[in-house]
Amino acid sequence: MSAIRIGNASGFYGDRLSAVREILTGGPLDVLTGDYLAELTMLILGRDRMKDPKLGYAKTFLRQMEENLGLAVERKVKIVANAGGLNPAGLAGALRELAAKLGLDVTVAHVEGDDLIGRAEELGFGEPLTANAYLGAFGIAECLKAGADVVVTGRVTDASVIVGPAAAHFGWGPTDYDQLAGAVAAGHVIECGAQATGGNYSFFAEHDIRYPGFPIAEIHADGSSVITKHEGTGGAVTVGTVTAQLLYEISGARYPGPDVTARFDTIELSQEDTDRVRISGVRGEAPPPDLKVSLNTLGGFRNEMVFVLTGLDIDAKAELVKQQLTFKKTPAEVRWTLARTDHQDAAVEEEASAFLRCAVKDADPKVVGRAFSNAAVEIALASYPGFHVTAPPGDASPYGLFKPGYVDAKLVEQVAVVDGKRIVIPPSPETRVLAPAEEPDLPEPLTGPTRRAPLGFVAGARSGDKGGDANVGVWVRTDEAWRWLVHALTVAEFKRLLPEAEDLPVHRHVFSTLKAVNFVVEGLLGDGVAAQARFDPQAKAVGEWLRARHMDIPEVLL
């Protein structure tokens, strides 16, 4: 059976609107997919649903379909997206109305069952704003097999929008673990859009990524795939860009999902041709018995002021502000951060300046609202020389808290809804408790003279968030560099390079076939991105910070 060609046109809610048309018109395609749901997005959609129960889905997807649904029908391209968010049935209904308005004969189906908010207390999750289990691919597959042209879902795993069409196309069953695992790997690569084609890539200067195209996975019956993009589009697909994305927001060698646990330590990559990278050898195992659940709550309210400190005596100026800023009522949390971005003898004023941030949180918006920001500004003429702030006084804004939960998969009913018919998708017939993978054999260390230099001279990195944890994947491009990296970049060295992680639990995972190590830093991001606990709350740039740090690197690699 021929390969199925699946292109992904959205990596998050807010991605390039024109990508749907670009990927539909750029070349041949069987299925167009879109990933719209991040942890933060579920909170945003939860707040939308609070205002209007008819909402709760990604509104931009509906706008994209208004412009492109006719084009997809004309080109016989199926559409699968998780844009349904908290209300997949509502989005499906809106799509049917849109199709009727456009005069299009399409079958719209949806997958539901992930939303556990009505059972949250019963399941031990308390009273969250949103509670959604991560469903798998077989609801999507069932919709497609029943003749759906468009399938929208709620919270499925990001890769499931790619795995589902492949499973339907090839007739895979729930125990075809190697095939499913291969599709999960392909899905993980393309679900973040242009991150697979050179976006957010450490070695970006090697390619023209001013306007990268969106990625395509050509998936074969055995689960192997080729990652590519439409000819003539910008960016690049290389072993490096694919490696970077494979390491994105994972943990250990066993990558668990609701349908399969994919062994990422078995992945083999090869550059087949220009902008064509083959993924093969992926092994799969039975999934764990529990489904992960995304839990979002409203944590309270926050505000911040950023004081600009310029020139000499930066530490003394910062201390003066801390002493002078007083509160009528002290917020529940007050966090001061001094970023020493100043340079000595700077020729530009901004380069002579540091930034002192005061972030406050409280359950009462009045405590951290105008009363706080006005108090910060009131000291302007009575404080350090050169006093100014980066923004005028502002009001408090709500913030959210994310945490993962877990529920027995047998307690969650996944349902495919096609033409009014409800098809219940049974959970996986087999499960396997998740356990750490065995440590691989390591190559002989690389020895010889060394020179102090940035890690990024020889290694790439990609980082991101999983709730309150940060993930940092680091890889190299030659066997010789791997002999050095795997022995040199230990947990102790990682903590030395990134002092923010020094007192936190850090776990290292080795991926020999990718010449990579992945670090999971527990608690670096507090209660997750919506809580905005730190600068760079999604840890997007932690990897680049790590690459800028200096190590003793063998001269032969430099």
Side-chain angles (χ1 to χ4, degrees):
M1 186 177 288
S2 61
I4 182 171
R5 195 169 160 90
I6 303 172
N8 186 60
S10 175
F12 69 103
Y13 190 12
D15 209 342
R16 191 194 307 170
L17 271 175
S18 62
V20 169
R21 177 164 289 270
E22 291 169 18
I23 204 165
L24 280 173
T25 58
L29 201 67
D30 296 312
V31 182
L32 181 148
T33 64
D35 174 24
Y36 293 79
L37 302 183
E39 292 169 357
L40 179 61
T41 310
M42 300 303 284
L43 177 69
I44 294 169
L45 296 179
R47 290 173 61 187
D48 283 351
R49 186 171 64 176
M50 285 176 67
K51 298 172 188 173
D52 184 350
K54 295 179 181 177
L55 296 179
Y57 54 78
K59 297 185 287 289
T60 54
F61 175 75
L62 200 58
R63 180 175 154 194
Q64 288 171 309
M65 290 301 99
E66 185 172 7
E67 298 173 356
N68 298 293
L69 184 56
L71 182 60
V73 171
E74 176 189 322
R75 295 186 172 232
K76 296 182 172 56
V77 175
K78 303 279 189 179
I79 296 172
V80 179
N82 60 12
L86 301 176
N87 188 8
L91 177 57
L95 286 167
R96 292 186 193 98
E97 291 177 9
L98 174 63
K101 174 184 166 185
L102 297 174
L104 299 173
D105 181 18
V106 296
T107 298
V108 180
H110 73 274
V111 179
E112 62 185 30
D114 62 294
D115 196 342
L116 305 179
I117 193 65
R119 301 166 57 198
E121 193 166 354
E122 164 204 337
L123 295 171
F125 299 141
E127 299 180 359
L129 176 65
T130 69
N132 295 80
Y134 285 78
L135 302 181
F138 282 100
I140 295 168
E142 197 64 44
C143 289
L144 292 171
K145 287 191 290 184
D149 302 297
V150 181
V151 182
V152 291
T153 76
R155 178 71 277 187
V156 296
T157 65
D158 298 343
S160 287
V161 295
I162 292 98
V163 179
H169 181 73
F170 295 116
W172 295 337
T175 58
D176 289 325
Y177 296 131
D178 289 348
Q179 294 92 324
L180 292 168
V184 165
H188 185 71
V189 170
I190 74 169
E191 52 94 356
C192 274
Q195 280 195 174
T197 58
N200 291 346
Y201 183 53
S202 291
F203 304 111
F204 69 97
E206 298 176 357
H207 309 287
D208 182 359
I209 64 160
R210 287 173 294 175
Y211 202 80
F214 276 63
I216 295 166
E218 297 172 355
I219 302 178
H220 296 266
D222 64 353
S224 67
S225 63
V226 172
I227 306 300
T228 186
K229 62 186 183 69
H230 283 319
E231 190 174 349
T233 56
V237 179
T238 69
V239 168
T241 66
V242 172
T243 298
Q245 183 55 27
L246 282 170
L247 294 172
Y248 183 59
E249 296 183 346
I250 63 170
S251 53
R254 284 190 165 99
Y255 185 69
D259 300 317
V260 63
T261 294
R263 291 295 300 257
F264 271 36
D265 55 346
T266 63
I267 295 173
E268 296 177 9
L269 303 179
S270 58
Q271 192 81 42
E272 188 177 76
D273 204 341
T274 303
D275 294 324
R276 292 182 64 81
V277 173
R278 178 169 293 281
I279 301 177
S280 60
V282 191
R283 302 299 302 273
E285 300 169 346
D290 293 337
L291 300 181
K292 184 179 176 182
V293 181
S294 170
L295 299 169
N296 283 285
T297 58
L298 291 176
F301 296 84
R302 73 178 304 278
N303 203 347
E304 70 174 41
M305 291 294 289
V306 180
F307 304 87
V308 184
L309 316 175
T310 305
L312 304 176
D313 307 317
I314 296 295
D315 289 330
K317 289 172 180 175
E319 190 59 35
L320 178 59
V321 175
K322 291 179 184 179
Q323 293 173 0
Q324 288 183 311
L325 184 58
T326 57
F327 306 96
K328 290 183 180 178
K329 181 180 178 183
T330 303
E333 181 180 327
V334 180
R335 182 190 291 259
W336 292 93
T337 309
L338 176 61
R340 292 300 302 263
T341 53
D342 52 303
H343 300 267
Q344 290 186 13
D345 195 22
V348 179
E349 181 181 341
E350 191 170 357
E351 293 177 359
S353 300
F355 296 93
L356 176 67
R357 175 179 283 102
C358 181
V360 292
K361 291 180 179 179
D362 199 271
D364 186 348
K366 294 180 181 178
V367 172
V368 294
R370 291 275 177 177
F372 158 71
S373 53
N374 286 342
V377 172
E378 284 173 0
I379 64 173
L381 303 183
S383 191
Y384 62 88
F387 181 104
H388 65 288
V389 293
T390 59
D395 217 337
S397 58
Y399 71 91
L401 304 176
F402 170 87
K403 69 175 182 178
Y406 294 90
V407 62
D408 188 328
K410 295 185 178 66
L411 300 178
V412 178
E413 186 176 79
Q414 180 179 185
V415 181
V417 184
V418 193
D419 284 334
K421 183 181 178 183
R422 299 175 60 83
I423 307 165
V424 176
I425 310 300
S428 178
E430 303 172 350
T431 61
R432 174 175 175 166
V433 175
L434 195 67
E438 56 282 357
E439 280 288 315
D441 294 331
L442 302 183
E444 286 295 315
L446 182 67
T447 58
T450 63
R451 178 155 44 98
R452 202 76 171 166
L455 170 62
F457 280 11
V458 297
R462 178 160 291 167
S463 56
D465 64 318
K466 279 290 185 185
D469 299 343
N471 287 251
V472 188
V474 184
W475 82 97
V476 289
R477 301 192 280 187
T478 67
D479 291 336
E480 203 169 24
W482 176 237
R483 288 174 55 198
W484 170 73
L485 181 78
V486 73
H487 293 285
L489 194 55
T490 61
V491 168
E493 180 68 356
F494 181 91
K495 288 187 173 187
R496 183 191 71 80
L497 296 171
L498 303 188
E500 282 188 54
E502 187 175 7
D503 297 324
L504 298 173
V506 176
H507 309 279
R508 188 181 90 146
H509 306 280
V510 177
F511 298 84
S512 294
T513 61
L514 299 177
K515 302 183 184 70
V517 288
N518 186 56
F519 294 90
V520 179
V521 187
E522 293 185 20
L524 183 68
L525 308 178
D527 291 307
V529 54
Q532 300 182 57
R534 72 183 291 275
F535 174 77
D536 185 19
Q538 287 182 283
K540 295 293 187 182
V542 171
E544 288 301 296
W545 174 30
L546 179 67
R547 292 181 69 238
R549 298 287 283 158
H550 288 221
M551 296 178 66
D552 292 322
I553 301 174
E555 290 182 354
V556 68
L557 300 180
L558 299 170

